[in-house]
Amino acid sequence: MRAVKPKAAGIMTSSVAGTAGYDEQAKTLAEQYESIEFETVHRDVLHLFPPPPSRVLDVGAGSGRDAAALAGRGHHVVAAEPSSELRLEGQRRHAAAAIDWIDDSLPDLARLRARGECFDLVLLSAVWMHLDAAEQRAAMASLAALLAPGGVAILSLRHGPVPAGRRMFDVTADETVTLAGAHGLACRHSGTRRDPHARPGVNWSVLALAREDLPRKDLPG
Ligand SMILES: C[S@@+](CC[C@H](N)C(=O)[O-])C[C@H]1O[C@@H](n2cnc3c(N)ncnc32)[C@H](O)[C@@H]1O
């Protein structure tokens, strides 16, 4: 298990830098995340999600809103969440959902990669901007390794003011598409979103990045 530091009474904080602030506010944040429906958050890219039953990985799954919705649609869902307090919130709130929760983190997703699985959909909803430039480079390699041939990764990047106590970096859609291209991932969608919580100054980029090599069964001849 990754080392965790006791912070306040009863709260263990993750040693993953990008999770700064999440353990301490897990209950409030989970409430906020769950106040919006999966379909509302992702409606601009839902047509790019593979049909069920597909192998889905939700990285930085938070309260499990998206993992639970995707499991409910018949997908096989793994939810990776390094904040133990958010993971517990997710497991509690979505106890009835068939979600395989795992304590793992970008950039390496080492535990998942050791399992040797690959995925038709990797969702990184509101996660990428928690990584610095070096972490993003390593994380894109992990992403490419975890995607099955023909698989797609959906990323949303937050822009705007950084909440107190959180660790975020400025990252553009264009530089992320360039980095993806260097790892054999092609951009299928690049768009923008208003903030679903209408926070002042906050807006989003949304990307769909695909491994365009065909699954073996679909290869001609
Ligand atoms: C804004 S929340 C988004 C939660 C959820 N994906 C959603 O859309 O509601 C960001 C999430 O990223 C996770 N996170 C931060 N750094 C991470 C890292 N290095 N690897 C994986 N997840 C990370 C946090 O713990 C948190 O759950």
Side-chain angles (χ1 to χ4, degrees), residues 56-176:
V56 173
L57 171 62
D58 186 4
V59 180
S63 62
R65 176 200 62 223
D66 298 337
L70 290 161
R73 281 159 183 72
H75 294 290
H76 304 291
V77 181
V78 177
E81 175 49 60
S83 154
S84 53
E85 298 293 325
L86 268 178
R87 204 170 56 248
L88 286 169
E89 276 292 318
Q91 288 167 331
R92 186 179 61 76
R93 285 170 179 267
H94 300 292
I99 302 171
D100 178 9
W101 285 93
I102 180 168
D103 175 8
D104 209 355
S105 59
L106 294 162
D108 297 330
L109 291 168
R111 291 192 183 109
L112 262 173
R113 290 180 67 183
R115 282 163 41 159
E117 296 169 42
C118 59
F119 298 90
D120 307 302
L121 170 67
V122 180
L123 183 60
L124 293 105
S125 171
V127 177
W128 197 252
M129 66 283 165
H130 288 308
L131 308 176
D132 67 21
E135 290 168 334
Q136 287 169 19
R137 286 194 293 276
M140 195 61 83
S142 301
L143 205 52
L146 284 163
L147 275 175
V152 64
I154 306 276
L155 286 75
S156 60
L157 320 177
R158 175 176 162 148
H159 311 294
V162 179
R166 232 57 89 62
R167 179 207 197 229
M168 292 187 196
F169 299 90
D170 286 332
V171 55
T172 67
D174 284 352
E175 67 190 298
T176 308

Side-chain angles (χ1 to χ4, degrees), residues 16-26 28-30 32-33 86 126 129-130 158 161-169 199 204:
V16 176
T19 64
Y22 283 105
D23 282 307
E24 298 85 341
Q25 296 177 32
T28 314
L29 290 172
Q32 185 189 101
Y33 301 155
L86 268 178
M129 66 283 165
H130 288 308
R158 175 176 162 148
V162 179
R166 232 57 89 62
R167 179 207 197 229
M168 292 187 196
F169 299 90
R199 288 165 291 206
W204 298 82

